Amino acid sequence: MNMNKTIAFLITLCCLRLTSFAQCDSTTLCQAPWHVDTIETLVLKTVHFENHEYFHSNQFIALLEIPAQSNVQLAYAYEKQRTRTSTIAQKHRAIAAINGSFFDMEKHHPVCYLRINGEEVGINVAGVDSVNRKYYQYGTLVIDSNRMQILHTDSARFWERTLPYENIMTAGPLLIYRGEKIAQRNDLSFVNKRHNRTAVGIRPDGAILMLVVDGRSKQSEGFTLDELQNTLYWLGCSDALNLDGGGSTTLYIQKEGENGIINHPSDNGRYDYKGERGVSNAIIITK
């Protein structure tokens, strides 16, 4: 076998193995022993992979499904001083909430565009390597007539100001758009390293998925963005957007879990329910 044939054979073998791994992981996810609860018209699913069977890693995933026909109310909430997601939810008497988009840890304000009930409370802070937007400002989640949709943002820094919607939240990166997975950068640890993640996905039937995965512990290692993207794709999302993650990642559901906390926020460095971080904004669900 000559050198060119040898290289071609190795590339083919590598591709086959990668395909096999992906098929194995998608099967593992779909056949997982999900624990399922129904809250109001919402469905909460949780699963803990404890034997390195998903992406060759341990993972705790919590998934809140909002059926298209659900009559719950969706909204964004903002606090001038960083506040825990659970506290924000309780303030608004929400039945559920997840942390929202990115913010300045010291100044507390959002660093991505945020409009709530027509009022602009956050704008995009430009990045060092970009003129107008940071990498995580290229997806936008809007609430319109109490339904969510995900938009592919324009590169203009203040593009969101042209949108007619009363409630707009920019985040990113965009993971899936109109059924197609979006290629991610490969030069950022934010993308390539495993972290806690929070994301929103939308299925073709209009169902909304709010997903969190714990990270930074041996019990749950977290996802790379590619792993998060694949997970949402395998769960049937035609659109999906990454939100703020890391120590911010929190899913709260009233009267469920540990004082409402469903996952294991990691801001205290431990795998428990007490490591919740104060955040700038959240997505809340009310009756």
Side-chain angles (χ1 to χ4, degrees), residues 77-79 81-94 96-99 250-253 259-261 276-279 281-282 284:
Y78 161 71
E79 294 290 330
Q81 296 292 319
R82 292 197 296 115
T83 305
R84 293 179 175 181
T85 299
S86 60
T87 303
I88 294 174
Q90 291 160 7
K91 176 181 177 180
H92 292 273
R93 298 182 179 179
I98 58 171
N99 63 291
T250 305
L251 172 60
Y252 167 89
I253 298 180
N259 295 321
I261 305 301
E276 197 180 353
R277 171 185 291 174
V279 298
N281 54 88
I284 60 173

Side-chain angles (χ1 to χ4, degrees), residues 125-158:
V125 176
V128 175
D129 64 343
S130 61
V131 176
N132 293 321
R133 290 177 179 267
K134 293 185 178 181
Y135 181 57
Y136 51 75
Q137 296 168 341
Y138 276 90
T140 296
L141 183 68
V142 303
I143 300 174
D144 182 34
S145 300
N146 203 42
R147 302 309 305 165
M148 282 184 165
Q149 60 177 304
I150 293 172
L151 307 178
H152 196 313
T153 61
D154 185 90
S155 60
R157 184 179 177 190
F158 299 110

Side-chain angles (χ1 to χ4, degrees), residues 115-128:
R115 184 190 298 173
I116 301 178
N117 296 329
E119 179 184 357
E120 183 180 271
V121 296
I123 61 172
N124 295 314
V125 176
V128 175

